Amino acid sequence: MEFFERFAVPNPNPAIYASMVAIVVVSLAIIFGLTYFKKWGYLWREWLTTVDHKKIGMMYLISAILMLFRGGVDALMLRAQLAVPDNKLLDPQHYNEVFSTHGIIMIIFMAMPFIFAFMNLVVPLQIGARDVAFPRLNAISFWLFAAGAMLFNISFVIGGSPDAGWTSYFPLAGTEFSESVGTNYYMIAIQISGIGSLMTGINMITTILKMRAPGMTLMKMPMFTWASFMACVIIIFAFPVLTIALLMGTTDRLFATNFFTSTNGGMDMLWANFFWVWGHPEVYILILPAFGIYSEVISTFSGRNLYGYKSMVGSMVIISLLSFLVWTHHFFTMGQGALTNSIFSISTMAIAVPTGVKIFNWLLTMWKGKIRFTVPMLYSIGFIPLFTVGGVTGVMLAMSAADYQYHNTMFLVAHFHNTIIPGVVFAMLAGLTYYWPKMFGFMLNERIGKWGFWFLSIGFVLAFFPMYITGLNGQARRMYTYSEATGFGTLNFVAFIGAGLMAISFCIIVFNIIYSFKNSPRNVGEDPWNARTLEWATHNPVPEYNFARTPHVASSEAFWDAKKRGHELFKGEIEEIHMPNNSGVPFIMGVIFFIAGFSFVFALWVPAVVALIGIFACMVLRSFEKDDGRHISVEEIKATESTYGGAHS
Amino acid sequence: MKLKGALLLLLSMLVVFLSGCEPLLVLDPKGPQAERQAHDIMISIWIMAFIVIVVLVLLVYMLVKYRASKLPEDYEPPHIEGNPILEGILIGVPIIIVAFLSIVTVKSNYIVENIPEGYEDQEPLVIYASTSNWKWHFSYPEQEIETVNYLYIPTNRPIEFKLYSFGPITSFWIPQLGGQKYAMADMVTTLHLAAETPGEYTGRNANFNGKGFAENTFTVTAMTQTEFDEWVDEVHETAEPLTEDEFNQLLEPGHLGRMTFTGTHLDFSPAPEHEHTADDEMDAEHEMHSEHAAHE
């Protein structure tokens, strides 16, 4: 291809041009706004260079919500295209790009940052720590994620988006069958953000193991911390596999190696194995923190301790182990024979047992409780039956002989959305509402929040339950159109309506944020929900140093026992607090990674090499840098505490 | 009230789902393998529906009985750690269900991976089914004929499909005759099917393989053995022979209608049967050894 042809708009149609114009206009508006209001310094000092886990968490949160809308628009386009038979809204190539990017955006660039947002915001607070173990590494993780996300997002206007599905199976994803740079974007954008995820996993494990408050033994950790810990253990075992697979895929595409080609000794199914050895544990990386949030929310709003704490922890450990023993169920139909299929079928179904234990433990947490129907609780209540349906259809899919009939059909699509949306997205929205006052010091409006919940739940049921039926009726996934004779039309139209309701619900949720920002009273106090765990023992919003004095813990519900049984959380005098300094290097590294990634996508070797040297220069700089952090003086802490009403001074 | 409405909706969806089963392709089997799969699917649907109902009933009970608005102002929920007997039941019952479904599945695995039950004494009809973007090539080595995008098969006879691909991974699927299997460029997979009712069935590639994926379909016509034999004779009388050049042209990406040839492409573009070990590992390995011996 000619040099400039590679950068051309892949799908020249009005919608793409409109998005290009929109991107330029919004970027200019942001630059103009920042200059006009003289906010460049504020942005740099307070956000771009921050190493504060709370601010990094908030940036993850904002990115996740933006990506939710990006992936959501993709979803709407897909459902609109399938709403009626023989629709001509999208051409096949465009449809392929849209469903491929929908999957990647939602898993890698929406769900992952969403859970990292809550890990960052909540874990250090729950264990009574001042920050994560490696604050600067945490900032680098975020900026690598951001670089990957940006790189991925420009693909649809520069050079073309990935079009081989979010699983990107070879040899379809190889240069022979996928000529555009789309799959290069896939390989490199996910690689960059994946490195960030791996570092977050290491960071969180170290934080949880080394920085717990005095008295907090492992079996006294709150459930969200346990869930995050197990998710991070899965991350550090699963992500290296993805890293290597993507590296091999990249060399196949850029340097004509033959790892996954169908000729010259390449093995296409090797990619599928690598992908799912990462990909199946990945779904538990997403779902375990979500389970953690449900545990906190259900326990808080039932006014009761979590039922079966030990079996909750045990079931998470078993789920994490089993998550690595099931990947082959993603290609039961590859022809590995009855014995292999039987083994993976049983190991997959076995996951239903610990998951069932968790469901029943949540139900039993409500038992004899005092249930308050707040927005976070509504999401958790909605989650239980919806996720159970998703779970049992998972067991159905796990039956390998029957899977021959479900494989690659809409039944499967219905199943995994049925687990991921009520499982992960509902949990993130519950967590968003629940932890909102912790982050910003005011509450989200309950009435508007409930509207959002009902639109989302009803929309969800309408959007995905019909797919079980069309799947059993022979509708394969990823078909851009179908004929009238197939009879899929009516149910797909219902699904389109459901998708529309879900879109409305996400708009309601954003409206709620804006409305509450304007109208909600500030200074809601420390404990607006009458909660049970340590993160609610400090102020809302949380001061920079989290806790003026380190808490002392004697139970898994330290804060509740402090309120009800008079445990003393904070002992002794306020002392000087040591905090890390801000640094611009993580942000700069993110930018350089972005440049390196873009150069690799288009095989521009000179800038790629320059950028790689830049990355090493940043690392060398760090190793010679003298930065011992800074201290917050006792006077300053006391002054800050008194602005909050002096609760702990 | 809203909550009850939602639950009602959920239940009614379930009813629609279950009552809608009758005409759905997968649950309307026309051959023994599909019948076995439909049978497994129905068993699992009923057991799973039972689990969903148990969870729903428990949830509604908790929500109705323990809602804060119904309870006295000063009610303090108790601290309950757990109960070994209760937890034993909550772990035990799911284990029993999973064990039961495992037994069903393992049995079915061996059934769908072998010549259909009741047809063991018959010699299967071997058909090589291969894909190229975005077409299906069916070779009948025994009959020395080849078709594109359509398939004629005799009823009440086991059929052994040998699947592979001249490009991306595809998946060979005839919902009413049996579940699918991958067709890959570097190995041959085997799928055993049989049709019991004459008729026309739809088949398709179920695994995404690029732009033309949606139209990557074929039709299957099941007919009696005599009709099948007549068709074979007719093809030999009327169809052109398949040449290597012509076949290579057919492989070019694009869509084609139905085509019929005498001879098969297996003579000049053989299936990748010994590249990697496939289903019948023992067989393939054995043959590979003998091949090596022949070379030496």
Side-chain angles (χ1 to χ4, degrees):
Chain A
M1 267 189 284
E2 286 297 310
F3 187 76
F4 286 105
E5 248 172 59
R6 288 186 292 177
F7 302 103
V9 180
N11 273 303
N13 78 21
I16 300 280
Y17 287 122
S19 344
M20 288 176 88
V21 172
I23 290 170
V24 172
V25 169
V26 170
S27 312
L28 284 175
I30 291 170
I31 291 169
F32 179 77
L34 284 170
T35 315
Y36 185 80
F37 293 105
K38 298 196 173 65
K39 290 288 185 193
W40 284 105
Y42 165 80
L43 186 69
W44 178 258
R45 281 190 306 276
E46 296 292 319
W47 294 97
L48 300 185
T49 62
T50 189
V51 290
D52 182 344
H53 68 98
K54 299 176 287 291
K55 284 185 175 163
I56 289 172
M58 283 179 212
M59 291 195 289
Y60 269 123
L61 196 65
I62 293 164
S63 320
I65 292 172
L66 285 175
M67 287 298 108
L68 179 72
F69 276 83
R70 155 73 156 100
V73 169
D74 284 344
L76 280 180
M77 284 157 78
L78 299 177
R79 289 326 310 174
Q81 165 64 24
L82 291 181
V84 289
D86 299 313
N87 199 356
K88 296 279 186 298
L89 190 69
L90 301 175
D91 63 51
Q93 175 61 22
H94 199 179
Y95 184 85
N96 297 347
E97 294 186 9
V98 172
F99 78 70
S100 304
T101 49
H102 166 74
I104 300 153
I105 293 268
M106 286 305 203
I107 297 285
I108 309 267
F109 300 116
M110 187 283 284
M112 286 296 272
F114 230 139
I115 65 157
F116 286 153
F118 288 110
M119 281 189 195
N120 269 293
L121 287 164
V122 179
V123 167
L125 292 170
Q126 272 198 338
I127 61 173
R130 292 255 145 74
D131 205 331
V132 294
F134 311 112
R136 195 194 283 211
L137 188 71
N138 199 21
I140 294 177
S141 297
F142 172 76
W143 289 112
L144 287 190
F145 151 75
M150 283 303 107
L151 189 62
F152 195 83
N153 270 286
I154 59 166
S155 71
F156 81 109
V157 287
I158 308 174
S161 289
D163 57 359
W166 90 278
T167 54
S168 213
Y169 273 15
F170 280 83
L172 179 63
T175 39
E176 193 186 348
F177 298 103
S178 188
E179 287 173 25
S180 84
V181 293
T183 307
N184 295 358
Y185 272 115
Y186 173 99
M187 296 284 159
I188 289 159
I190 297 179
Q191 183 74 284
I192 292 172
S193 69
I195 296 168
S197 303
L198 186 54
M199 296 196 299
T200 301
I202 294 166
N203 209 341
M204 284 293 157
I205 286 182
T206 318
T207 308
I208 293 168
L209 287 180
K210 302 298 281 184
M211 296 177 71
R212 276 167 291 134
M216 185 181 279
T217 58
L218 286 179
M219 290 309 277
K220 287 197 177 77
M221 292 198 307
M223 198 47 64
F224 180 71
T225 300
W226 253 116
S228 301
F229 180 68
M230 290 319 302
C232 289
V233 170
I234 302 178
I235 286 178
I236 62 166
F237 281 100
F239 266 80
V241 184
L242 179 70
T243 303
I244 293 304
L246 289 171
L247 185 66
M248 289 161 85
T250 308
T251 61
D252 262 16
R253 289 190 58 88
L254 291 178
F255 306 113
T257 53
N258 289 294
F259 292 113
F260 305 129
T261 54
S262 52
T263 50
N264 298 328
M267 289 170 79
D268 44 11
M269 287 308 289
L270 184 63
W271 166 266
N273 276 280
F274 280 154
F275 185 85
W276 289 114
V277 167
W278 161 80
H280 202 85
E282 165 71 13
V283 304
Y284 294 96
I285 295 170
L286 301 178
I287 201 80
L288 289 182
F291 284 174
I293 289 195
Y294 287 129
S295 300
E296 303 296 350
V297 167
I298 290 174
S299 154
T300 297
F301 295 107
S302 302
R304 260 208 49 199
N305 66 315
L306 189 67
Y307 184 92
Y309 178 93
K310 282 179 191 159
S311 58
M312 283 299 220
V313 173
S315 59
M316 278 197 297
V317 174
I318 292 169
I319 289 174
S320 330
L321 290 174
L322 286 175
S323 74
F324 284 95
L325 301 176
V326 303
W327 80 93
T328 300
H329 72 217
H330 291 273
F331 37 89
F332 273 150
T333 62
M334 188 185 98
Q336 59 261 60
L339 178 66
T340 311
N341 277 1
S342 298
I343 291 166
F344 283 94
S345 183
I346 293 168
S347 65
T348 305
M349 280 193 266
I351 292 189
V353 176
T355 313
V357 168
K358 296 187 82 74
I359 297 274
F360 285 111
N361 278 348
W362 287 314
L363 285 170
L364 288 168
T365 303
M366 295 181 203
W367 180 51
K368 293 191 177 174
K370 199 174 184 181
I371 300 167
R372 284 176 286 156
F373 293 95
T374 59
V375 173
M377 188 61 174
L378 278 182
Y379 280 113
S380 312
I381 294 169
F383 150 78
I384 290 176
L386 292 177
F387 183 81
T388 306
V389 174
V392 297
T393 53
V395 174
M396 290 172 71
L397 280 155
M399 299 172 67
S400 42
D403 178 71
Y404 284 23
Q405 290 284 24
Y406 307 128
H407 198 87
N408 276 326
T409 68
M410 292 312 270
F411 189 93
L412 166 79
V413 175
H415 155 71
F416 70 71
H417 284 90
N418 207 166
T419 52
I420 291 179
I421 292 177
V424 182
V425 178
F426 276 32
M428 295 303 122
L429 295 173
L432 183 78
T433 328
Y434 184 58
Y435 286 114
W436 193 267
K438 191 89 267 177
M439 292 182 264
F440 301 103
F442 63 91
M443 310 277 276
L444 290 175
N445 186 290
E446 283 278 302
R447 241 172 80 85
I448 304 174
K450 284 178 184 171
W451 276 100
F453 165 76
W454 284 109
F455 267 90
L456 187 61
S457 302
I458 294 167
F460 169 79
V461 170
L462 289 179
F464 293 102
F465 281 30
M467 292 181 199
Y468 285 119
I469 303 170
T470 61
L472 289 178
N473 205 11
Q475 189 183 4
R477 71 195 288 205
R478 297 169 173 175
M479 291 190 335
Y480 87 104
T481 191
Y482 52 88
S483 70
E484 184 136 29
T486 54
F488 304 148
T490 321
L491 287 169
N492 276 292
F493 193 76
V494 173
F496 173 61
I497 294 171
L501 293 182
M502 292 174 77
I504 293 172
S505 127
F506 289 120
C507 294
I508 292 175
I509 289 161
V510 169
F511 170 73
N512 193 7
I513 292 174
I514 299 165
Y515 177 89
S516 307
F517 177 73
K518 284 187 180 156
N519 298 309
S520 286
R522 298 311 195 256
N523 302 323
V524 287
E526 286 182 4
D527 185 22
W529 303 113
N530 195 14
R532 312 178 74 86
T533 38
L534 215 48
E535 69 269 32
W536 300 99
T538 183
H539 311 291
N540 295 330
V542 187
E544 188 193 359
Y545 45 76
N546 294 356
F547 299 93
R549 289 171 296 172
T550 302
H552 291 254
V553 175
S555 71
S556 67
E557 297 184 305
F559 183 49
W560 184 257
D561 289 336
K563 286 193 285 189
K564 297 289 166 177
R565 295 208 242 163
H567 287 196
E568 201 184 345
L569 274 183
F570 299 102
K571 298 171 188 166
E573 284 296 301
I574 288 180
E575 288 169 27
E576 222 176 33
I577 296 172
H578 178 234
M579 297 296 285
N581 280 329
N582 282 2
S583 166
V585 175
F587 174 72
I588 292 166
M589 272 182 95
V591 172
I592 301 176
F593 260 100
F594 176 86
I595 295 167
F598 186 84
S599 312
F600 268 103
V601 168
F602 289 96
L604 307 170
W605 302 119
V606 175
V609 170
V610 172
L612 287 179
I613 292 169
I615 291 165
F616 281 105
C618 286
M619 294 199 259
V620 170
L621 189 75
R622 173 59 177 153
S623 61
F624 287 102
E625 190 182 21
K626 244 192 149 62
D627 179 1
D628 297 326
R630 71 205 152 83
H631 286 86
I632 303 176
S633 68
V634 176
E635 293 73 45
E636 202 182 323
I637 298 165
K638 284 189 172 158
T640 313
E641 289 293 307
S642 65
T643 61
Y644 282 104
H648 299 306
S649 56
Chain B
M1 281 323 280
K2 274 179 187 167
L3 194 77
K4 277 182 195 161
L7 294 180
L8 213 66
L9 187 74
L10 203 73
L11 274 174
S12 57
M13 291 299 294
L14 199 73
V15 171
V16 169
F17 174 60
L18 292 174
S19 63
C21 286
E22 223 50 73
L24 299 180
L25 280 190
V26 165
L27 299 171
D28 184 21
K30 301 291 182 198
Q33 306 295 51
E35 215 163 278
R36 177 78 194 185
Q37 286 159 335
H39 166 257
D40 282 11
I41 291 170
M42 284 319 293
I43 288 182
S44 61
I45 286 181
W46 288 117
I47 293 176
M48 296 299 131
F50 165 74
I51 293 171
V52 171
I53 287 165
V54 167
V55 168
L56 267 180
V57 167
L58 277 173
L59 180 68
V60 172
Y61 173 78
M62 302 297 173
L63 295 183
V64 171
K65 183 126 191 241
Y66 298 108
R67 58 206 298 184
S69 55
K70 279 254 183 90
L71 296 167
E73 194 79 356
D74 58 346
Y75 173 70
E76 283 275 345
H79 182 90
I80 308 171
E81 290 277 347
N83 179 334
I85 298 170
L86 198 55
E87 271 161 56
I89 296 170
L90 294 184
I91 298 173
V93 173
I95 286 181
I96 292 169
I97 293 174
V98 165
F100 171 73
L101 291 176
S102 299
I103 293 167
V104 172
T105 302
V106 173
K107 273 189 182 167
S108 301
N109 277 345
Y110 284 92
I111 290 169
V112 299
E113 283 295 334
N114 283 306
I115 296 174
E117 275 180 337
Y119 294 88
E120 291 89 348
D121 51 335
Q122 284 192 50
E123 186 66 19
L125 170 67
V126 176
I127 302 175
Y128 282 78
S130 56
T131 42
S132 64
N133 281 355
W134 293 276
K135 305 163 289 283
W136 285 94
H137 309 269
F138 300 106
S139 312
Y140 299 71
E142 198 184 319
Q143 283 73 18
E144 278 292 311
I145 54 178
E146 177 151 334
T147 63
V148 176
N149 288 338
Y150 79 99
L151 194 55
Y152 277 13
I153 53 168
T155 49
N156 298 315
R157 177 166 177 198
I159 304 185
E160 189 175 325
F161 287 102
K162 297 281 188 190
L163 311 171
Y164 57 99
S165 159
F166 288 94
I169 300 168
T170 54
S171 194
F172 176 87
W173 186 32
I174 311 167
Q176 286 183 287
L177 298 186
Q180 61 193 289
K181 205 170 250 189
Y182 280 1
M184 293 161 280
D186 45 8
M187 75 188 245
V188 171
T189 47
T190 309
L191 184 65
H192 297 275
L193 295 180
E196 284 178 335
T197 326
E200 196 157 287
Y201 309 116
T202 52
R204 65 165 299 111
N205 160 28
N207 194 59
F208 178 64
N209 65 337
K211 236 187 252 185
F213 168 64
E215 292 92 4
N216 201 179
T217 56
F218 58 94
T219 51
V220 186
T221 313
M223 57 192 73
T224 59
Q225 184 72 43
T226 29
E227 282 174 304
F228 179 75
D229 293 336
E230 279 166 24
W231 172 72
V232 172
D233 291 340
E234 194 191 310
V235 170
H236 277 287
E237 279 162 27
T238 55
E240 297 287 315
L242 180 66
T243 63
E244 187 165 0
D245 282 347
E246 187 153 16
F247 182 70
N248 287 336
Q249 269 182 13
L250 296 183
L251 290 183
E252 293 293 313
H255 294 287
L256 295 170
R258 292 171 160 223
M259 296 170 101
T260 317
F261 301 97
T262 56
T264 69
H265 71 260
L266 298 167
D267 302 330
F268 43 81
S269 302
E273 270 173 291
H274 306 303
E275 298 246 340
H276 297 292
T277 49
D279 310 61
D280 35 5
E281 280 166 34
M282 292 304 287
D283 277 16
E285 232 168 72
H286 182 251
E287 280 174 45
M288 258 166 64
H289 282 301
S290 52
E291 231 172 69
H292 282 298
H295 281 300
E296 285 155 12

